[in-house]
């Protein structure tokens, strides 16, 4: 394989994982970011995010990996340039593309005459490839006094990474999707990803190759289709989670167990078991943002997306339902002390974007609850990012439990399953646990003296009596 020179604009979750992975499989990678503090950390070999295996892969790739704040050091010699900057949601749900625009203009100002593929790795609306191309072209012309004639092409290469499993997903992906209008661009990206497609790279000891791993499918598409594949994938998974949560609500009313239901339908090969875990619902930077963007984009074209919109409504309703469960058991919430276990939106990450725990905390505070919180990784980050949130940050779970009226399992960190629940029950004013992920060992908790309340896992006696 001929090593390529790669530039990655942006070192967030997607950018840093993409850059490190490409360096590991043999390419020369330069990552660009404007955050000097972040760059200093990366140059020292430390990651600025919590992602299992990331620092280890950085160490193995260090000779082929550079970090800079200057486009001039990364863009001119690059064969492939990835735009991997943030696209946060605007108030109307549409993605804010200011960082994509800045990246495109910076690239255009520093391109030279060699053929370069500019890749949208950020999740961007359908049609953004054409927009980015025009921005690059305008910036190039303004800098050089002439048009760029065939020396660059824009492509789309959406990511499908799961935070907490990003290294695994990067090295052993289900598929690689590339979209472009020019054959040269598709050929360049095939050569870039060839070690991943053929699985010809040496597996890292800490992340071995799956036994059944074969060649990775490469999906070639036009620009618009590649862009829509990303949105469609996340929307489908969002719908699947919200569907099982809607079934969970009915299961509670009729006395059924949603975990058994999920297993019963998940064994159907047409459905599959993944993303059928009822609970508090999804958070993070992708599902909420991408479903909102899909609804917003459809509206621009005179369409509605009622299924996707319903999935959003069901998901955010799950957070209210947790508060309702607490109110049902404790009757009065004002003056109570409630502990939340987990702040990150999912385990094995420190990402707090659209965190269900922070949302639930705010809802409880409004009802006069004293809220305590704990997280094995994201605690200090939560304190720094939310200075005005009136919660007590507990370094120790026992401190969270002392004299508490209830605890809520919000994030299914593995460490929470093995807590000293017997000791916690003795410390609590009322040993009540609301298991927002149906994750804990119910029998052990009940043996320890807890009342265990799950999501969709049983009937509420008072509700049955009231409704006959």
């Amino acid at each position: 394989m001929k090593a390529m020179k790669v530039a990655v604009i942006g070192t967030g979750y997607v950018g840093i994982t993409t850059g490190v992975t490409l360096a590991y499989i043999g390419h020369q990678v330069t990552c660009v970011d404007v955050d000097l503090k972040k760059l200093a950390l990366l140059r020292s070999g430390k990651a600025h995010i919590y992602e299992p295996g990331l620092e280890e892969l950085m160490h193995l790739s260090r000779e082929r990996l550079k970090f800079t704040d200057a486009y001039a050091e990364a863009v001119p010699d690059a064969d492939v340039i990835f735009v991997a900057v943030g696209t946060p949601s605007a108030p109307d749900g549409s993605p804010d593309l200011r960082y994509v625009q800045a990246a495109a203009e910076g690239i255009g100002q520093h391109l030279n005459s060699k053929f370069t593929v500019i890749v949208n790795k950020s999740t961007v609306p359908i049609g953004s490839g054409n927009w980015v191309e025009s921005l690059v072209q305008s910036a190039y012309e303004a800098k050089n006094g002439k048009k760029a004639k065939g020396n660059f092409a824009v492509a789309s290469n959406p990511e499908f990474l799961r935070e907490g499993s990003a290294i695994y997903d990067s090295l052993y992906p289900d598929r690689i999707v590339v979209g472009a209008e020019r054959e040269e661009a598709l050929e360049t990206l095939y050569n870039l990803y060839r070690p991943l497609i053929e699985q010809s790279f040496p597996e890292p000891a800490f992340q071995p190759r799956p036994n059944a791993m074969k060649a990775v499918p490469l999906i070639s598409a036009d620009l618009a289709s590649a862009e829509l594949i990303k949105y469609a994938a996340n929307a489908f998974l969002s719908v699947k989670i919200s569907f099982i949560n809607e079934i969970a609500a009915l299961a509670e009313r009729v006395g059924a167990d949603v975990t058994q239901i999920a297993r019963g339908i998940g064994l159907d090969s047409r459905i599959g078991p993944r993303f059928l875990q009822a609970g508090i619902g999804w958070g993070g930077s992708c599902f909420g943002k991408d479903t909102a963007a899909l609804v917003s984009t459809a509206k621009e074209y005179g369409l509605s997306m009622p299924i996707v919109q319903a999935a959003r409504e069901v998901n955010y309703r799950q957070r209210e339902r947790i508060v309702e469960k607490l109110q049902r058991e404790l009757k009065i919430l004002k003056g109570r002390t409630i502990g939340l276990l987990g702040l990150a939106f999912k385990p094995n990450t420190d990402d707090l974007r659209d965190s269900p725990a922070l949302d639930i905390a705010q809802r409880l505070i409004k009802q006069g609850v004293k809220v305590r919180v704990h997280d094995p990784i994201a605690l200090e980050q939560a304190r720094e990012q939310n200075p005005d949130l009136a919660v007590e940050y507990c370094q120790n779970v026992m401190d969270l439990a002392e004299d508490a009226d209830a605890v809520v399992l919000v994030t299914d960190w593995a460490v929470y399953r093995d807590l000293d629940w017997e000791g916690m029950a003795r410390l609590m004013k009322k040993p009540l646990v609301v298991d927002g992920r149906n994750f804990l060992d119910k029998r052990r908790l009940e043996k320890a003296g807890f009342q265990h309340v799950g999501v969709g896992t049983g009937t509420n006696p008072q509700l049955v009596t009231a409704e006959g």
Side-chain angles (χ1 to χ4, degrees), residues 340-344 355 357-358 373-376 408-411 413 416:
L340 304 182
L341 294 174
L343 288 170
S355 161
L358 295 177
V373 297
H374 176 272
D375 191 282
V408 181
L409 187 285
V410 185
T411 311
W413 286 98
Y416 289 148

Side-chain angles (χ1 to χ4, degrees), residues 223-238:
L223 266 174
S225 296
E227 291 165 347
L228 189 50
I229 284 170
K230 168 66 173 178
Y231 282 112
N234 278 352
F236 184 84
L237 296 176
S238 301

